[in-house]
C-alpha cells in the first residue's frame, strides 16, 4: 500500500491472479482499520501543501504524470493484463486513455474558475459585489472497480488533485496493482507526500471504514449499483458521486448502414468480454432487417479470436473470475430455456472464458435483457415502430448511455430526446466514450458526472465572497 509517501505492508498478504489461467501475478497486503486511519490522516495532513500550490504547480505535476505514463505504457499495459486479464491491445488503449484523462485534468487545473454574481439584479443587492471561488473539498475517498483499473482510477484521482484535494484510493481487490504503480509515478513526479494514498483489501470491510470516516468529505465510487446504493445510504452529509452499471441498448433502424452498425455493435458487445459498464447488451432491430443484421453479427462474432490476453491477436480472454463465467453462462442457459435462440456462442470454455454470444428473440424478462450481464452476451430483438423501440430501451432500471443507427434525422432526434439516459449516441454505439466528455447516468446508473471538467465541479465548493462598497 502507499500511505503518507511510504510503502506499507501488513501481516496479511493477498494473492493477485491472472484471471485467464489463475497463475499468481503479484502480492498485495490487506488494510485494517489502522491503515485506513493512517491513510486518511496522511491525506488530511497533505491538505495544506496541496492548497498552497499554484494551479500551475498542480497542473505541472499532472503533465509530468501524463508523460511518465506514456513513457511506461508497455509496463503499465502489462500490469493491466496481469491483474484483469484484458487483452493486451485493449490494455494499451486503456493506458493511453488514462494518460489523456490525466492530461485533461492538468488542463482543468488551469481553467478552474468561479463566477461574478450579479448581486444588484435584486434591489437589496445594490452596492454589493460578489464572486464565487472554487475551493477544494479536502480528503476524497476514491473507490474503483476491476474492469478499467487504471483509467477509472485516473478519472477520480486526476480531477481531485487538479482541484487541490487529497485522495485515499481503494482499488478492487482483484485488480490492485495498477493503482499502486500509479501512486509510485505520482510520487516521482513531485506530488506532496500523503496527497495520494492507496489502500488494498476487501471493500466490504474497509469500504465502510472509509465511508464513515469523519475526515473523508467525499466518496467518489465506480462499481455495482448494490454497493453504490449502500454507500449512498451510509454517507450521510458527505458528497457522493456514483458511476454504476447499465444494460446498454441500441436501436438499429431499417435505413441504417447495417454493415457498420453490425461491426460496431460486435465491437461494443465483446470488448473486454463485455465487462464494460456501457457494453452493448440489448439491440432492437427493425424487423424487416433483423435477419440480415443477425447474420452479420454472427459472422463478426465468429471471427473473434479467443486466447491468452498476452497474445497480440486475442480479442476474447476471460471474465474476472470463474464464478462470473458460471453466472453468465447460467444466464444464457436461462434465456435459452425461456425461448431465446442462440445464434452463436453460449459456451463456457477454459477457466473463466465465455464464448462471444449472440441471442435472438430474447424474452424481455430474461436476466440477459433486464439486468446487467457484464459478460460477452448480446440480445437482439425485433421491433415494428420506432415508438415501440424507444419504449423497450426505456424499459430498464438503468440509464447510462444508449444509441441509434439511422439515416433519418427526425427519427434520430426523436430517440435522442425520448430515451432517458445520461448520454445518447447517433450512428455510434452506446459503448463510445472519450474521456473529456461528460459521462454519467440516470436511474440505477448513478448520479454525478465524470470527465475531468465535470468531475472537478463535483470535487470543489463554490464559495461565495461578497463585499459592500
Ligand atoms: P463492485 O463489486 O461494486 O466493486 C467496486 C469497488 O467497490 C471495489 O473496489 C470493491 O472492493 C468496493 N466495495 C465492495 N463492497 C464495498 C462496500 N461495502 N463499501 C465500499 N466499497 C465496496 O463492482 P465491480 O464488480 O468491481 O465492477 C463492476 C461494476 O462496476 C458493474 O456494475 C459496472 O457496470 C460498474 N462500472 C460502472 C462504470 C461507470 O462509469 N458507470 C464503469 C465501470 C464499471 P472489493 O473488490 O474489495 O470488493
Amino acid at each position: 500500500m502507499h500511505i503518507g509517501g511510504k510503502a506499507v505492508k501488513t501481516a496479511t498478504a493477498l494473492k493477485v491472479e491472472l484471471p485467464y489461467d489463475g497463475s499468481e501475478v503479484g502480492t498485495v497486503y490487506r488494510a485494517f482499520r489502522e491503515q485506513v486511519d493512517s491513510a486518511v490522516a496522511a491525506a488530511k495532513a497533505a491538505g495544506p501543501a496541496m492548497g498552497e500550490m499554484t494551479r500551475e504547480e498542480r497542473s505541472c505535476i499532472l503533465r509530468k504524470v501524463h508523460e511518465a505514463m506514456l513513457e511506461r505504457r508497455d509496463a503499465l499495459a502489462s500490469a493491466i493484463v496481469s491483474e484483469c486479464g484484458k487483452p493486451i491491445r485493449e490494455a494499451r488503449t486503456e493506458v493511453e486513455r488514462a494518460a489523456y484523462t490525466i492530461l485533461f485534468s492538468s488542463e482543468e487545473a488551469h481553467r478552474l474558475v468561479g463566477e461574478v454574481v450579479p448581486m444588484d439584479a435584486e434591489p437589496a443587492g445594490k452596492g454589493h459585489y460578489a464572486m464565487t471561488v472554487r475551493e477544494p473539498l479536502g480528503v476524497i475517498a476514491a473507490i474503483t472497480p476491476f474492469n478499467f483499473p487504471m483509467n477509472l482510477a485516473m478519472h477520480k484521482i486526476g480531477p481531485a488533485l487538479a482541484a487541490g484535494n487529497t485522495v485515499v484510493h481503494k482499488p478492487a481487490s482483484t485488480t490492485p496493482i495498477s493503482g499502486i504503480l500509479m501512486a509510485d509515478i505520482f510520487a516521482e513526479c513531485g506530488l506532496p507526500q500523503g496527497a495520494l494514498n492507496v489502500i488494498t483489501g476487501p471493500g466490504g470491510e474497509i469500504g465502510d471504514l472509509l465511508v464513515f470516516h469523519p475526515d473523508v468529505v467525499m466518496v467518489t465510487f465506480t462499481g455495482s449499483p448494490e454497493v453504490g446504493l449502500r454507500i449512498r445510504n451510509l454517507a450521510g452529509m458527505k458528497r457522493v458521486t456514483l458511476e454504476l452499471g447499465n444494460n446498454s441498448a441500441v436501436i438499429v433502424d431499417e435505413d441504417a448502414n447495417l454493415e457498420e452498425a453490425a461491426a460496431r455493435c460486435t465491437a461494443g458487445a465483446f470488448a473486454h468480454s463485455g465487462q464494460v459498464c456501457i457494453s452493448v447488451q440489448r439491440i432492437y432491430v427493425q424487423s424487416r432487417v433483423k435477419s440480415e443484421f443477425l447474420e452479420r453479427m454472427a459472422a463478426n462474432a465468429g471471427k473473434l479470436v479467443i486466447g491468452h490476453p498476452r497474445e497480440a491477436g486475442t480479442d476474447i480472454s476471460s471474465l474476472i473470475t470463474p464464478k462470473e463465467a458460471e453466472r453468465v453462462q447460467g444466464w444464457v442457459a436461462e434465456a435459452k430455456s425461456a425461448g431465446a435462440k442462440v445464434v452463436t456462442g453460449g459456451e463456457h470454455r477454459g477457466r473463466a472464458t465465455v464464448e462471444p454470444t449472440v441471442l435472438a428473440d430474447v424474452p424481455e424478462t430474461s436476466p440477459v435483457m433486464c439486468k446487467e450481464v457484464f459478460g460477452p452476451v448480446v440480445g437482439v430483438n425485433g421491433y415494428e415502430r420506432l415508438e415501440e423501440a424507444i419504449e423497450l430501451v426505456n424499459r430498464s432500471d438503468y440509464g447510462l448511455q444508449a444509441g441509434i443507427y439511422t439515416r433519418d434525422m427526425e427519427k434520430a432526434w426523436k430517440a435522442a430526446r425520448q430515451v432517458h439516459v445520461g448520454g445518447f449516441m447517433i450512428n455510434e454505439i452506446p459503448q463510445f466514450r472519450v474521456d473529456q466528455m461528460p459521462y454519467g447516468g440516470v436511474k440505477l446508473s448513478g448520479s454525478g458526472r465524470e470527465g475531468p471538467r465535470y468531475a472537478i465541479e463535483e470535487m470543489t465548493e463554490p464559495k461565495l465572497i461578497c463585499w459592500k462598497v
Side-chain angles (χ1 to χ4, degrees):
M1 290 175 275
H2 265 268
I3 300 178
K6 294 194 180 70
V8 172
K9 292 181 181 178
T10 60
T12 310
L14 304 168
K15 197 170 93 168
V16 185
E17 292 176 346
L18 173 67
Y20 182 74
D21 59 13
S23 56
E24 188 168 342
V25 291
T27 303
V28 294
Y29 295 86
R30 186 204 194 283
F32 295 88
R33 181 183 287 275
E34 184 190 338
Q35 288 73 39
V36 174
D37 287 345
S38 53
V40 175
K44 191 174 180 196
M50 284 299 284
E52 279 160 22
M53 289 169 90
T54 61
R55 284 153 199 263
E56 169 53 11
E57 283 166 334
R58 292 198 298 263
S59 177
C60 181
I61 291 171
L62 291 163
R63 284 201 302 278
K64 284 186 188 158
V65 172
H66 163 77
E67 282 156 21
M69 290 176 80
L70 294 180
E71 273 162 26
R72 287 177 220 181
R73 76 180 87 191
D74 288 343
L76 294 175
S78 174
I80 293 174
V81 173
S82 296
E83 62 185 352
C84 81
K86 185 172 282 187
I88 180 68
R89 211 179 46 239
E90 292 181 35
R92 287 206 183 98
T93 305
E94 179 174 351
V95 175
E96 280 159 23
R97 285 184 56 188
Y100 265 117
T101 303
I102 291 298
L103 182 65
F104 294 132
S105 301
S106 81
E107 291 168 354
E108 292 309 322
H110 284 161
R111 288 190 199 123
L112 185 61
V113 290
E115 60 181 11
V116 173
V117 184
M119 299 299 276
D120 64 357
E122 188 187 326
K126 188 170 182 204
H128 292 73
Y129 294 82
M131 64 178 180
T132 56
V133 288
R134 289 248 161 215
E135 294 195 338
L137 300 178
V139 179
I140 296 182
I143 305 178
T144 53
F146 75 83
N147 61 332
F148 283 83
M150 187 165 294
N151 194 27
L152 295 178
M154 293 310 106
H155 267 286
K156 301 179 181 315
I157 294 167
L161 298 176
N165 298 289
T166 58
V167 178
V168 178
H169 175 209
K170 205 310 269 175
S173 292
T174 41
T175 58
I177 296 174
S178 6
I180 293 171
L181 293 179
M182 285 309 302
D184 284 335
I185 292 181
F186 275 96
E188 283 169 31
C189 294
L191 190 71
Q193 284 192 355
L196 171 60
N197 307 275
V198 183
I199 53 173
T200 45
E205 290 167 45
I206 58 178
D208 280 1
L209 296 176
L210 268 179
V211 174
F212 276 130
H213 200 294
D215 290 331
V216 169
V217 290
M218 175 179 181
V219 182
T220 168
F221 172 80
T222 300
S224 59
E226 296 73 28
V227 177
L229 274 172
R230 179 179 170 82
I231 290 174
R232 160 80 70 215
N233 289 335
L234 294 181
M237 294 298 284
K238 292 181 203 294
R239 204 172 280 193
V240 175
T241 297
L242 300 174
E243 300 289 343
L244 311 177
N246 199 37
N247 56 356
S248 305
V250 57
I251 298 169
V252 179
D253 188 35
E254 61 192 309
D255 73 355
N257 176 338
L258 286 192
E259 186 182 353
E260 188 182 333
R264 293 291 293 145
C265 284
T266 309
F270 302 126
H272 194 18
S273 285
Q275 298 168 112
V276 181
C277 49
I278 36 177
S279 192
V280 173
Q281 184 179 323
R282 299 179 293 149
I283 305 179
Y284 297 106
V285 190
Q286 213 292 330
S287 296
R288 276 185 285 277
V289 292
K290 189 175 134 216
S291 34
E292 182 186 342
F293 181 81
L294 270 172
E295 271 168 35
R296 289 179 183 275
M297 281 291 291
N300 293 342
K303 286 184 202 141
L304 296 174
V305 177
I306 298 178
H308 195 287
R310 293 206 179 280
E311 298 287 336
T314 294
D315 297 304
I316 302 283
S317 153
S318 70
L319 298 189
I320 192 70
T321 57
K323 201 170 153 216
E324 277 298 283
E326 278 161 30
R327 176 189 59 79
V328 170
Q329 214 264 331
W331 285 16
V332 171
E334 194 177 331
K336 204 173 150 190
S337 58
K341 295 188 192 99
V342 180
V343 179
T344 183
E347 296 304 321
H348 184 166
R349 286 213 215 164
R351 180 177 185 262
T353 300
V354 174
E355 293 174 345
T357 303
V358 179
L359 303 175
D361 306 327
V362 195
E364 290 293 324
T365 49
S366 291
V368 291
M369 293 303 269
C370 66
K371 293 188 180 175
E372 181 183 35
V373 176
F374 228 57
V377 180
V378 61
V380 181
N381 285 350
Y383 72 86
E384 299 303 326
R385 293 165 45 252
L386 180 65
E387 293 72 20
E388 185 195 338
I390 291 173
E391 195 273 320
L392 287 165
V393 174
N394 280 335
R395 204 191 291 172
S396 167
D397 293 335
Y398 300 100
L400 190 47
Q401 297 206 139
I404 187 168
Y405 276 87
T406 178
R407 291 188 174 98
D408 185 328
M409 290 277 287
E410 221 169 284
K411 286 182 183 168
W413 186 245
K414 181 172 177 162
R417 295 306 308 267
Q418 293 187 3
V419 171
H420 189 36
V421 284
F424 191 81
M425 305 286 148
I426 297 169
N427 291 326
E428 183 52 279
I429 46 173
Q431 205 220 40
F432 184 74
R433 179 183 187 187
V434 287
D435 292 281
Q436 73 277 27
M437 74 186 210
Y439 180 77
V442 297
K443 301 194 269 183
L444 268 190
S445 294
S447 57
R449 292 291 179 271
E450 288 197 335
R453 178 178 151 203
Y454 308 92
I456 215 166
E457 283 179 14
E458 314 257 355
M459 293 173 167
T460 50
E461 202 70 74
K463 184 198 269 180
L464 180 92
I465 300 176
C466 169
W467 71 98
K468 188 170 176 252
V469 180

